[in-house]
Amino acid sequence: MAKLDELIEHIRHSPRNVRFADACTVADAFFGEALQQGTSHRVWKMPWAGDPRVNIQQDKGGRAKAYQMQQLLKAIDRLHAEQAKKAEETKPPPKEEASETPRKKQRKRK
């Protein structure tokens, strides 16, 4: 996982200088196997509604295109945000401490 974190930081700091193979490694780790592969393009489907996709194209020199690296980072950030939101929703509410024990109502006797 450390290598993956290093690759993401490299993409964030230098999106113009990312090897195509490294970009594919990051996308595979977050979004599974590419729907299309075997050419100079790879396409990944995103796990949210609609038909969003991330496309990574190999540029001259074996590098990934910089604008597509920005799209990949945006998709990873959205995935992290949705996972955090889902975790927050499934988290049990905090227990409230009762300040006083409830007293039973006494019936009036005739």
Side-chain angles (χ1 to χ4, degrees):
M1 193 66 163
K3 180 177 176 164
L4 187 61
D5 292 335
E6 290 173 13
L7 286 174
I8 292 170
E9 282 305 308
H10 175 68
I11 294 171
R12 286 193 194 283
H13 294 298
S14 183
R16 292 184 183 274
N17 193 23
V18 178
R19 291 181 344 147
F20 179 73
D22 289 343
C24 291
T25 299
V26 171
D28 284 341
F30 283 96
F31 305 111
E33 191 175 327
L35 297 176
Q36 178 184 340
Q37 51 189 358
T39 63
S40 62
H41 290 73
R42 302 267 172 96
V43 180
W44 288 266
K45 183 166 179 7
M46 301 298 98
W48 42 84
D51 193 26
R53 297 170 188 265
V54 167
N55 174 45
I56 299 177
Q57 182 178 0
Q58 187 169 351
D59 202 356
K60 295 178 183 176
R63 303 282 178 208
K65 293 195 173 190
Y67 78 93
Q68 292 172 339
M69 294 301 88
Q70 296 297 333
Q71 292 172 349
L72 176 61
L73 291 172
K74 187 176 178 182
I76 290 170
D77 292 342
R78 179 174 176 186
L79 181 66
H80 284 160
E82 289 190 8
Q83 288 173 342
K85 182 180 176 184
K86 188 174 183 180
E88 187 65 30
E89 289 173 353
T90 59
K91 188 176 174 182
K95 293 181 180 178
E96 294 181 21
E97 294 183 30
S99 57
E100 295 181 22
T101 48
R103 296 182 184 178
K104 292 184 179 180
K105 292 184 179 179
Q106 293 182 359
R107 290 186 180 177
K108 292 183 181 177
R109 293 189 180 185
K110 296 184 183 183

